[in-house]
Amino acid sequence: MGQASTDPSEFFARHRDTLKEAVAAAHGRYHWSPYPESPSPKVYGPDAAPQGQAAFERYLGADFPLDQPGDGDRVVTERSPYGIPLGVGYPHADAGTLVSAAAAALPAWRDAGPEARAGVCVEILDRLNRRSFEMAHAVQHTSGQAFVMAFQAGGPQAQDRGLEAVAYGYDLIARYAGAVRWEKPQRKGEPLVLQKRFHAVPRGVALVIGCNTFPTWNAYPGLFASLVTGNPVIVKPHPRAVLPLAITVAVAREVLAEAGYDPNTVLLAAERPDERLAATLAVRPEVRIIDFTGSTEFGEWLERNAPQAFVNTEKAGVNPVVLDSTDSYAGMLGNLAFSLSLYSGQMCTTPQNIFVPSAGISTDEGHRSVEQVGADLAAAVDRLLGDPARATGVLGAIANDAVLARLEAAGDLGDVVLASRTVAHPDFAAATVRTPALIRVGAEQRDVYGHEHFGPIAFLIPTAGTDDALRLLRETVTERGALTAAVYATESDVLTAAERAALDAGVHLSANLTGQVFVNQSAAFSDYHGTGANPAATAALTDPRFVAGRFTFVQSRRPA
């Protein structure tokens, strides 16, 4: 375990105000963040960017410096979507070794108490924030995100989500008394007096299964929600995106050791190709919490086959947009074009199904037919992505071959309104960069648009009218799930009907976005990500239900 160099109470004292503000922001749902999302040298200092890049480059072609239990083998599985060689080797351990080490760390971490755990968690996040440039390069070259997006989503915004989970966990435990002298008056004689203690008891070993596209943003809520509630965590990254979570685990272990806790409270589970380590770990009886982001197939497998665990999954969805009318046609087109293009549509929140009444829509620029809407949206995408330097900053790179294969086959799904094209990256010649495809299909073709086509593929779908579009929104989300929905309408009754449809389907709704807020982005402490009310996700990131299932209250009492 090592000798403590920092009293755990010092971490809590250091971050008390941040934690207090985080709890208040989670309750108030207003804008707040302690982690600046601008990569400007004015914010992080003139040396932060070059130091972060140098730190990233030191990992390349070398063994990642992580001292944890293992079998001595090294795992190398990553390939940069931008074509640079990575070759980072990570320590390998089998499921039994990982589970045993985590289980041994649990008692001391449980007994640390909510303040010490919260202090350690926020210190981890604080140190990760200082390494945001290093993390940005790691996220960019494993996920394919463009650098600025990788900095923001992989760094400060992911850290926000982690802090939000810490705030919920700390608040859910610390708001209740930990000990009390209980007195019950009697009609005759002295009152009954008991001394009662209430313990927040963690469920057990937690497993976080990371994804390729957002390795930190999607992993931090589960990681920190489990940690703050007393559960040791095994972090199993996607084989193509190990480095961002290896850095995270290394920082966590460093802080834990400094505070005198077993660093095996957080472990990295790097897997060999075709090892299926996540599936092996998930069914271990000691694993009592699972957080997963990825395919519907494996998410549903986890839900069926890990009954011993509190399972949270984020899976596929068919995010809908309903166009009824707009008083800012150009703004609507620009907003949708950016939403479809951002990170090449490789976001679980990207719009897929655009429903348009077959009679067209009314706009501030006059009536627009379905054909005109499709052509104008295609033109808006082309304008946005006309300059290669700007285009690659928006699109990033295609993360994996499966996304590219779907895109190559998209033209066979219907009538091509906008064909995908290749963009040459000015800095990384080997990067695969593709613009979105827009395909027109009939409303009756539910077999096409009724399931997710992950990547830069969207469908323009004429409907009998707005009521029919809202019906399809409700039905497709209920059947297949969605993380976002959007509507454009100028009449209040249409907006009300859309909100009711979204409530029925259990999906978050954005209305009339025409500026710099986009349907596929969400803000920590204010926006919930997912609802748990439709098949796309079993929980929201983050809400009380997402956190509360990770611990139980157990009491002891004795006569005073």
Side-chain angles (χ1 to χ4, degrees), residues 16-88:
R16 185 194 307 270
D17 290 344
T18 298
L19 187 59
K20 181 179 179 181
E21 291 183 63
V23 170
H27 282 286
R29 314 309 299 175
Y30 50 77
H31 171 71
W32 178 79
S33 171
Y35 309 124
E37 64 178 21
S38 169
S40 167
K42 295 180 180 179
V43 177
Y44 283 90
D47 298 329
Q51 288 175 354
Q53 182 172 353
F56 165 72
E57 291 174 350
R58 283 194 293 272
Y59 295 127
L60 304 182
D63 286 345
F64 187 86
L66 191 66
D67 181 18
Q68 67 172 41
D71 54 22
D73 286 348
R74 291 277 157 168
V75 175
V76 181
T77 55
E78 294 163 305
R79 176 174 59 85
S80 169
Y82 290 94
I84 71 167
L86 298 179
V88 188

Side-chain angles (χ1 to χ4, degrees), residues 506-542:
V507 64
H508 302 307
L509 179 70
S510 298
N512 295 330
L513 297 183
T514 57
Q516 295 304 303
V517 176
F518 304 97
V519 67
N520 42 353
Q521 297 173 323
S522 64
F525 302 103
S526 185
D527 295 322
Y528 294 110
H529 176 76
T531 65
N534 70 66
T538 58
L541 306 181
T542 51

Side-chain angles (χ1 to χ4, degrees), residues 79-84 139-150 212-214 341-347 388-401 403-404 407 421-435 454-456:
R79 176 174 59 85
S80 169
Y82 290 94
I84 71 167
V139 170
Q140 177 186 20
H141 286 288
T142 53
S143 72
Q145 294 177 31
F147 179 79
V148 172
M149 183 179 183
N212 187 177
T213 49
F214 287 88
S341 303
L342 183 61
Y343 185 30
S344 301
Q346 298 169 116
M347 304 173 67
R390 183 184 184 190
T392 53
V394 173
L395 294 166
I398 298 297
N400 57 61
D401 293 340
V403 173
L404 185 60
L407 184 57
R421 60 182 177 84
T422 299
V423 177
H425 200 291
D427 300 317
F428 300 101
T432 300
V433 183
R434 298 290 296 270
T435 63
F454 187 76

Side-chain angles (χ1 to χ4, degrees), residues 535-559:
T538 58
L541 306 181
T542 51
D543 66 358
R545 185 167 67 100
F546 177 76
V547 179
R550 299 166 196 269
F551 71 96
T552 55
F553 283 114
V554 177
Q555 75 173 45
S556 60
R557 58 185 182 175
R558 65 182 66 174

Side-chain angles (χ1 to χ4, degrees), residues 68-71 73 91-95 97-98 268-270 275 277:
Q68 67 172 41
D71 54 22
D73 286 348
H92 180 268
D94 62 26
T97 299
L98 292 165
L268 184 73
E275 186 177 3
L277 184 56

